[in-house]
Amino acid sequence: IEIKTAEELAKAETFANEASRTAVKKQVDFTKQKLVVFTWGGSGQDRLTPELKTQDLKTLAVFNYRMGATEDLRRHALVFVVPKHAEVKVAK
């Protein structure tokens, strides 16, 4: 999910308690930045690698997903701060 404002952060289930929301607000300037949140279940070896790049005068936040080879089921949760105007894409 993308969280673009403090109001969206207050409603996000990912940040259910006030302490976590307060900590995030201190670190993110929602006038210039947004949060990109990933949660999923998969192999313990799953990887998500961020890459910020410019293409055709646009800022792209590309997240490269690599599926792990093990059959153990693990919960994953990652949060990234990217420029507010960046287009978000996920690639395998």
Side-chain angles (χ1 to χ4, degrees):
I1 63 171
E2 293 182 35
I3 299 174
K4 299 176 185 176
T5 66
E7 292 78 23
E8 289 179 6
L9 176 65
K11 296 176 185 175
E13 291 180 20
T14 306
F15 301 95
N17 65 53
E18 187 61 37
S20 63
R21 288 190 299 268
T22 300
V24 169
K25 285 181 198 176
K26 290 180 182 179
Q27 298 178 54
V28 179
D29 179 355
F30 283 108
T31 63
K32 298 176 185 174
Q33 301 169 316
K34 65 183 172 183
L35 297 174
V36 180
V37 181
F38 294 92
T39 59
W40 76 97
S43 167
Q45 292 180 348
D46 283 2
R47 296 292 174 255
L48 189 65
T49 308
E51 180 181 7
L52 194 60
K53 57 186 177 180
T54 303
Q55 181 179 335
D56 299 326
L57 302 176
K58 293 181 186 177
T59 303
L60 297 176
V62 179
F63 297 90
N64 297 295
Y65 172 71
R66 184 177 59 89
M67 190 180 330
T70 59
E71 294 183 18
D72 57 330
L73 179 61
R74 300 281 190 248
R75 297 285 306 147
H76 299 271
L78 296 170
V79 179
F80 299 90
V81 178
V82 300
K84 192 166 195 156
H85 65 278
E87 182 179 338
V88 176
K89 293 188 176 194
V90 178
K92 279 191 172 185

